[in-house]
């Protein structure tokens, strides 16, 4: 039997049983869509998190009050501190040779009002250096002025969304707003940027750190951001900061120092494992599709017994008969896999238009889903195809219920 004749028989069988062929093709397509869609969602989440942390800059270290021992997993985010971080600590860190700039942080919720418009706003007390460290830009006005860390001044920078909610269509620069029990003059409006590290910058109020300490009646700092002079200062900078704070805190190492790389490694590992787990769960649908192919192929073998007998009587070899049935399954798997791949890419594209998340399927998932679909089809079609190949011509050509 020539290859062209075999291909013609395969295509003819698929056309002759359109509903069966469409059912198998749809089952394979759904399995491939499930694998690619779920891994695309996990990969999108991973890229989104990496993009958020990349805004910190690779040379940024974050000092947290409180000591938590870690074993390479997710760095601690909260914890009780035996000793607070202070503005004096931040100033001392800024004088270290490896540190380019430092920004203390004080944070909390405050009621902000302009006239009869009132709302709750996330308020951040910091310094001018924070804008450079976090790569924040202002669309109007200017950032916070360069002040001594312990100098309180009644100025603020507000997010674009907060500006619209408090001032409407009126200009905000130079106007006064009330935050808590104090008044602040707006000197700048942040450029539109959306959320970053769980904070909506559009709804943020930024004031000098000394002013925030007075408003919150709290001297201890929430965080200290330290930007190093370059990647070559990473290890030395960590040692210098830890040694300095240990000396300042009566010999106790009661702070936690984390870097962007450690956070990225933790999130990357977690989300990478999640992507593999989701791909494994979705791959079960391809195994179900393979079982469906096996059942349908069994039925096809029984329905086409006479055709098989005629082919063998005309000289078709067992491997050629087996190849006909395996070829049908393989062709359906490839067609269904490609259709599922196109459908999943279309859905991920739609998701990218609706949400600001880089949803995309990694290359290994696309190739793996197609390969798994083909492998499942071949494996599950092999057994019934083998039965067809073993049929004897005379037995296959005998009519049902006929006598020997």
């Amino acid at each position: 039997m020539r290859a062209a004749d075999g291909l013609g028989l395969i295509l003819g069988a698929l056309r002759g049983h359109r509903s069966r062929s469409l059912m198998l093709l749809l089952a394979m397509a759904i399995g491939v869509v499930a694998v690619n869609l779920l891994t695309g969602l996990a990969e999108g989440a991973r890229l989104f998190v990496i993009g958020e942390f990349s805004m910190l800059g690779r040379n940024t270290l974050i000092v947290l009050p409180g000591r938590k021992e870690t074993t390479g997993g997710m760095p601690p985010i909260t914890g009780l501190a035996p000793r607070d971080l202070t503005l004096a600590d931040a100033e001392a860190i800024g004088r270290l040779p490896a540190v380019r700039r430092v920004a203390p942080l004080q944070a909390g919720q405050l009621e902000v009002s302009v006239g009869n418009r009132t709302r709750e706003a996330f308020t951040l007390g910091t310094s001018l250096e924070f804008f450079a460290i976090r790569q924040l830009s202002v669309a109007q006005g200017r950032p916070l002025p360069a002040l001594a860390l312990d100098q309180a001044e009644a100025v603020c920078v507000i997010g674009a969304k907060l500006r619209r909610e408090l001032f409407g269509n009126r200009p905000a620069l130079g106007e006064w707003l009330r935050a808590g029990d104090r008044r602040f003059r707006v000197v700048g409006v942040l450029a539109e940027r959306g959320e970053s590290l769980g904070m909506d910058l559009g709804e943020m109020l930024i004031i000098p750190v000394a002013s925030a300490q007075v408003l919150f009646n709290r001297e201890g700092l929430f965080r200290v951001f330290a930007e190093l002079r370059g990647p070559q200062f990473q290890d030395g900078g960590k040692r210098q900061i830890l040694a300095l704070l240990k000396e300042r805190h009566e010999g106790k190492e009661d702070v936690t120092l984390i870097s962007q790389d450690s956070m990225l490694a933790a999130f990357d590992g977690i989300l990478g494992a999640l992507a593999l787990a989701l791909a494994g769960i979705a791959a079960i649908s391809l195994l179900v599709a393979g079982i469906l192919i096996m059942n349908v192929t069994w039925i096809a073998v029984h329905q086409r017994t006479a055709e098989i007998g005629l082919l063998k009587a005309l000289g078709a070899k067992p491997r050629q008969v087996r190849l006909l049935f395996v070829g049908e399954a393989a062709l359906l798997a490839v067609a269904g896999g490609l259709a599922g791949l196109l459908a999943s890419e279309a859905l991920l594209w739609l998701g990218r238009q609706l949400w600001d998340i880089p949803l995309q399927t990694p290359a290994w998932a696309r190739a793996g889903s197609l390969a798994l679909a083909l492998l499942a089809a071949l494996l599950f079609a092999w057994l019934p195809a083998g039965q067809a190949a073993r049929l004897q011509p005379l037995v296959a050509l005998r009519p049902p219920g006929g006598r020997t």
Side-chain angles (χ1 to χ4, degrees):
M1 184 189 303
R2 296 179 303 172
D5 296 331
L7 181 59
L9 287 171
I10 291 173
L11 295 176
L14 294 177
R15 285 194 301 268
H17 300 83
R18 286 186 176 86
S19 59
R20 184 188 71 190
S21 301
L22 287 174
M23 178 180 64
L24 296 178
L25 189 138
L26 182 62
M28 280 297 174
I30 290 174
V32 171
V33 166
V35 173
N36 284 278
L37 198 57
L38 291 179
T39 52
L41 291 173
E43 180 70 5
R46 188 183 71 86
L47 294 175
F48 177 77
V49 169
I50 290 175
E52 289 292 295
F53 280 110
S54 67
M55 294 179 183
L56 289 176
R58 297 190 63 83
N59 303 322
T60 302
L61 300 177
I62 305 175
V63 186
L64 290 75
R67 179 66 182 168
K68 294 286 186 180
E69 297 296 333
T70 61
T71 56
M74 180 63 196
I77 298 301
T78 60
L80 296 177
R83 189 183 183 100
D84 289 333
L85 283 171
T86 65
L87 290 179
D89 291 334
E91 289 176 334
I93 292 172
R95 292 192 293 267
L96 291 173
V99 177
R100 173 178 293 158
R101 53 174 67 97
V102 67
L105 267 71
Q106 186 65 269
Q109 291 286 129
L110 282 178
E111 186 177 89
V112 182
S113 63
V114 174
N116 60 354
R117 299 188 179 190
T118 304
R119 63 152 298 155
E120 288 282 325
F122 182 76
T123 304
L124 194 66
T126 186
S127 65
L128 173 63
E129 304 290 0
F130 181 73
F131 289 79
I133 293 175
R134 287 298 313 275
Q135 303 174 31
L136 298 180
S137 58
V138 291
Q140 302 174 32
R142 58 185 176 85
L144 292 178
L147 303 170
L149 294 184
D150 59 354
Q151 181 180 348
E153 190 166 326
V155 293
C156 68
V157 175
I158 61 177
K161 186 176 179 181
L162 184 62
R163 186 205 69 80
R164 288 192 296 269
E165 293 180 350
L166 292 178
F167 294 95
N169 296 324
R170 294 189 294 120
L173 291 182
E175 297 295 325
W176 292 82
L177 58 79
R178 178 171 292 276
D181 59 355
R182 293 181 179 266
R183 296 174 72 238
F184 292 88
R185 184 169 57 88
V186 179
V187 297
V189 178
L190 291 174
E192 296 274 5
R193 184 161 146 182
E195 290 194 7
S196 175
L197 298 179
M199 298 184 296
D200 190 347
L201 299 175
E203 299 182 349
M204 186 177 293
L205 171 68
I206 303 178
I207 60 177
V209 62
S211 301
Q213 288 181 318
V214 173
L215 278 174
F216 297 127
N217 192 26
R218 187 168 64 235
E219 290 189 4
L221 297 176
F222 176 63
R223 299 282 188 273
V224 173
F225 280 59
E227 182 183 334
L228 303 179
R229 297 188 180 276
Q232 67 273 21
F233 292 92
Q234 187 80 224
D235 294 333
K238 289 180 180 179
R239 288 194 297 269
Q240 289 178 22
I241 293 173
L242 289 174
L244 171 70
L245 294 178
K246 184 176 181 180
E247 179 183 347
R248 292 181 58 83
H249 292 189
E250 302 175 352
K252 295 181 180 179
E253 193 171 311
D254 56 0
V255 298
T256 299
L257 192 62
I258 59 177
S259 64
Q260 179 202 24
D261 289 341
S262 64
M263 290 188 291
L264 284 179
F267 278 110
D268 195 40
I270 293 170
L271 294 174
L274 176 63
L276 289 174
L278 291 176
I281 293 171
I284 296 175
S285 60
L286 286 175
L287 296 179
V288 173
I291 294 173
L292 179 62
I293 283 180
M294 182 176 67
N295 292 334
V296 171
T297 306
W298 278 116
I299 295 171
V301 168
H302 287 291
Q303 289 177 340
R304 298 167 62 186
T305 302
E307 178 185 343
I308 296 169
L310 181 59
L311 287 173
K312 301 197 76 173
L314 293 174
K317 298 178 181 178
R319 62 179 180 82
Q320 292 175 323
V321 174
R322 182 186 294 111
L323 187 60
L324 290 177
F325 289 94
V326 172
E328 287 182 23
L331 192 59
L332 287 171
V334 171
L338 291 175
L341 190 59
L342 291 174
S344 62
E345 289 299 318
L347 290 172
L348 291 173
W349 175 86
L350 182 60
R352 289 193 294 269
Q353 308 310 307
L354 296 175
W355 305 292
D356 189 23
I357 300 177
L359 301 174
Q360 62 183 57
T361 305
W364 65 264
R366 291 195 293 267
S369 61
L370 290 175
L372 186 58
L374 182 59
L375 182 63
L378 294 178
L379 286 177
F380 285 100
W382 188 263
L383 189 60
Q387 185 197 34
R390 289 191 298 271
L391 285 175
Q392 297 299 319
L394 292 178
V395 175
L397 288 169
R398 184 187 307 128
R403 298 175 63 87
T404 57

